[in-house]
């Protein structure tokens, strides 16, 4: 298999554990195992007695039941537990696609949804975000032009990484209608769902509203529990789920038993965890709004209605990669340059971490020293 290096993961491999301030993280604040176990009475004792053997390849029945309860119309049988969100993206593409297939990818994107199909010889069409009036827009007419009877899969991600764009209910229904016309599969990456700024922004999982919808989710992002490496696919398409499950027997085989247990505790207490993370996001967004109002001549910023990431336009002459490099060298603050997404002139910010105010203060020092005239 010849596949392009994963730009974002390469970048993080170099910087994530050396830069002091991560101003671009897409995961929310994590917590300790002890703090997580404290959320449920008796969980610590049960965890200590938890069996460390192999687990069921599809995921433990109890965890699949907890996951299914986060959807409105799916049962435990319609869930496949995987290693993070990355493994199911890879395995789904391997299971469903073959050389010559045509797919559509909402772009910019988390690279694996583009690079894995491309490496298999698929034709990848991009549904690209436009930046208009200081906001990102995904134009449905553009999607309608890309979709046709050859389209096998549409890869979506809402709330979107990196733009922060989130579909409205109306847009979601319009996308489903378009897909239904051609019987296309929708692979919907929903790893940032649960962090909406108000109930009016909550949209259903695609797997709940579309017969060919496959929803991807994970403990890493909205829940902030990336170290668990627990993710899953949810769909009514049992044949597809079975094909992915067969491939999983060649990769991770089954999930880690302690992680499955802990993911179950987190999901049963998801309201508390999501509220805590949303509170961090809200506090950080206020600071970001103040910052970008102050430096509006340098940066274009539009506050996302959901999720923990946003994409900032640089309104000055600077290569985004070199800019991020200079910021990390001088101030130990990590930004994610647009180059990583093949979308130049921007950088991604993450605002789900508690120390974001500190990171922003150091970034402001850089701005004052280098950009303010
Ligand atoms: C949109 C999106 N999907 C999937 C993933 C992969 O998630 P995980 O690291 O939990 O496998 C990421 C990670 O950044 C992401 O941003």
């Amino acid at each position: 298999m010849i596949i392009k290096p994963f730009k974002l993961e390469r970048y993080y491999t170099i910087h994530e554990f050396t830069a002091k301030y991560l101003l671009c993280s897409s995961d929310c604040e994590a917590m300790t195992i002890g703090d997580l176990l404290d959320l449920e009475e008796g969980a610590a004792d049960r965890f200590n007695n938890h069996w460390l053997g192999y687990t069921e390849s599809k995921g433990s029945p109890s965890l699949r039941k907890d996951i299914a309860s986060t959807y409105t119309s799916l049962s435990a049988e319609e869930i496949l537990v995987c290693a993070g969100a990355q493994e199911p993206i890879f395995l789904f593409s391997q299971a469903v696609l073959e050389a010559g297939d045509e797919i559509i990818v909402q772009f910019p994107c988390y690279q694996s949804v583009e690079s894995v199909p491309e490496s298999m010889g698929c034709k990848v069409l991009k549904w690209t975000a436009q930046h208009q009036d200081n906001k990102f827009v995904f134009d449905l007419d553009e999607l309608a032009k890309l979709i046709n009877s050859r389209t096998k899969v549409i890869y979506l991600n809402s709330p979107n990484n990196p733009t922060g764009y989130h579909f409205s209910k109306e847009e979601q229904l319009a996308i489903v209608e378009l897909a239904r016309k051609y019987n296309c599969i929708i692979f919907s990456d929903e790893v940032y769902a649960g962090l909406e700024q108000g109930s009016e922004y909550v949209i259903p999982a695609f797997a709940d509203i579309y017969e060919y919808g496959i929803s991807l989710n994970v403990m890493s992002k909205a829940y902030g529990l990336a170290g668990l490496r627990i993710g899953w696919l949810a769909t009514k398409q049992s044949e597809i789920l079975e094909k992915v499950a067969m491939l999983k027997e060649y990769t991770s085989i089954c999930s880690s038993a302690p992680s499955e247990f802990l993911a179950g505790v987190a999901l049963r207490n998801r309201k508390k965890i999501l509220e805590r993370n949303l509170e961090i996001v809200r506090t950080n967004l206020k600071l970001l709004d103040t910052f970008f109002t102050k430096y509006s001549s340098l940066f274009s910023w539009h506050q996302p209605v959901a999720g923990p990431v946003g994409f900032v336009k640089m309104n000055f002459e600077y290569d985004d990669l070199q800019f991020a490099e200079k910021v990390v060298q001088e101030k130990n603050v990590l930004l994610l340059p647009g180059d990583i997404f093949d979308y130049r002139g921007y950088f991604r910010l993450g605002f789900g971490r508690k120390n974001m105010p500190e990171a922003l203060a150091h970034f402001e020092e850089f701005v004052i020293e280098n950009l303010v005239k």
Side-chain angles (χ1 to χ4, degrees):
M1 180 183 196
I2 298 171
I3 190 161
K4 283 183 188 157
F6 200 127
K7 278 187 170 182
L8 183 148
E9 299 301 344
R10 293 271 87 214
Y11 190 80
Y12 265 91
T13 297
I14 296 165
H15 294 293
E16 185 173 8
F17 295 97
T18 49
K20 189 162 178 201
Y21 304 104
L22 305 180
L23 192 51
C24 58
S25 302
S26 65
D27 51 348
C28 286
E29 184 79 11
M31 60 173 78
T32 65
I33 293 176
D35 286 344
L36 177 60
L37 290 171
D38 281 348
L39 293 176
E40 191 169 276
E41 214 185 316
D45 282 346
R46 284 187 285 120
F47 186 55
N48 276 333
N49 290 307
H50 198 65
W51 194 249
L52 279 178
Y54 279 107
T55 60
E56 281 189 36
S57 185
K58 284 196 282 188
S60 78
S62 136
L63 176 59
R64 283 186 285 123
K65 194 167 144 252
D66 288 328
I67 293 171
S69 74
T70 66
Y71 298 91
T72 55
S73 67
L74 297 170
S75 71
E77 287 312 305
E78 292 162 320
I79 307 294
L80 176 71
V81 179
C82 295
Q86 185 72 295
E87 185 189 38
I89 291 173
F90 184 85
L91 295 184
F92 165 81
S93 304
Q94 296 286 334
V96 167
L97 298 174
E98 45 192 307
D101 281 345
E102 197 167 301
I103 63 160
I104 297 172
V105 171
Q106 191 185 353
F107 184 85
C109 62
Y110 188 64
Q111 193 186 321
S112 41
V113 297
E114 179 191 355
S115 291
V116 176
E118 201 178 63
S119 77
M120 297 169 69
C122 297
K123 184 173 173 194
V124 179
L125 304 179
K126 290 179 183 169
W127 182 28
T128 303
Q130 309 299 328
H131 199 198
Q132 292 167 359
D133 302 329
N134 204 20
K135 280 186 196 167
F136 285 99
V137 182
F138 284 94
D139 183 350
L140 288 170
D141 291 338
E142 285 301 312
L143 179 62
K145 280 185 208 151
L146 294 173
I147 201 166
N148 63 66
S149 55
R150 293 184 302 279
T151 311
K152 198 154 185 186
V153 179
I154 307 174
Y155 287 84
L156 302 174
N157 170 219
S158 184
N160 180 255
N161 172 18
T163 61
Y165 188 86
H166 188 43
F167 295 129
S168 66
K169 282 182 194 149
E170 293 72 29
E171 286 171 321
Q172 184 187 35
L173 286 178
I175 294 168
V176 167
E177 278 320 301
L178 272 174
R180 192 171 271 137
K181 214 163 127 192
Y182 297 100
N183 283 336
C184 314
I185 296 168
I186 291 182
F187 183 91
S188 169
D189 181 330
E190 295 161 6
V191 301
Y192 302 109
L195 295 175
E196 295 79 11
Q197 292 299 323
S199 54
E200 67 275 29
Y201 302 118
V202 177
I203 62 172
F206 275 87
D208 270 327
I209 59 161
Y210 180 43
E211 55 285 7
Y212 291 112
I214 301 194
S215 289
L216 169 73
N217 213 331
V218 77
M219 299 310 299
S220 313
K221 305 296 180 182
Y223 298 98
L225 302 172
L228 294 179
R229 307 308 301 134
I230 294 283
W232 61 86
L233 294 179
T235 182
K236 294 177 181 130
Q237 290 295 319
S238 53
E239 267 181 44
I240 294 179
L241 212 57
E242 190 53 28
K243 277 188 192 167
V244 180
M246 279 172 62
L247 288 183
K248 188 189 162 187
E249 289 160 4
Y250 277 104
T251 52
S252 58
I253 302 179
C254 68
S255 303
S256 134
S259 287
E260 286 203 334
F261 181 95
L262 295 168
V265 175
L267 287 169
R268 289 190 296 278
N269 292 281
R270 65 181 177 279
K271 220 171 151 245
K272 273 187 229 157
I273 298 176
L274 291 175
E275 266 166 20
R276 168 244 198 203
N277 291 346
L278 202 49
E279 201 42 52
I280 296 173
V281 165
R282 287 205 176 106
T283 306
N284 288 340
L285 277 175
K286 276 189 206 133
L287 292 176
L288 287 174
D289 269 350
T290 309
F291 178 90
F292 287 116
T293 306
K294 194 164 161 192
Y295 299 107
S296 59
S297 60
L298 295 170
F299 306 105
S300 299
W301 160 255
H302 179 71
Q303 181 176 313
V305 298
V309 294
F311 215 28
V312 181
K313 185 166 186 287
M314 298 159 54
N315 297 325
F316 48 89
E317 286 301 311
Y318 225 123
D319 174 90
D320 55 69
L321 199 55
Q322 284 170 11
F323 180 70
E325 197 55 47
K326 194 166 158 65
V327 175
V328 77
Q329 267 172 21
E330 289 186 16
K331 294 290 167 188
N332 231 334
V333 173
L334 192 67
L335 303 174
L336 193 58
D339 172 72
I340 297 295
F341 293 96
D342 293 332
Y343 203 101
R344 306 302 303 264
Y346 294 76
F347 57 85
R348 185 184 83 183
L349 286 186
F351 35 86
R353 298 274 186 98
K354 269 189 185 161
N355 74 344
M356 196 223 71
E358 226 182 315
L360 187 63
H362 286 276
F363 179 53
E364 183 165 18
E365 279 173 22
F366 179 90
V367 171
I368 292 168
E369 288 165 23
N370 292 275
L371 299 174
V372 176
K373 303 238 160 58

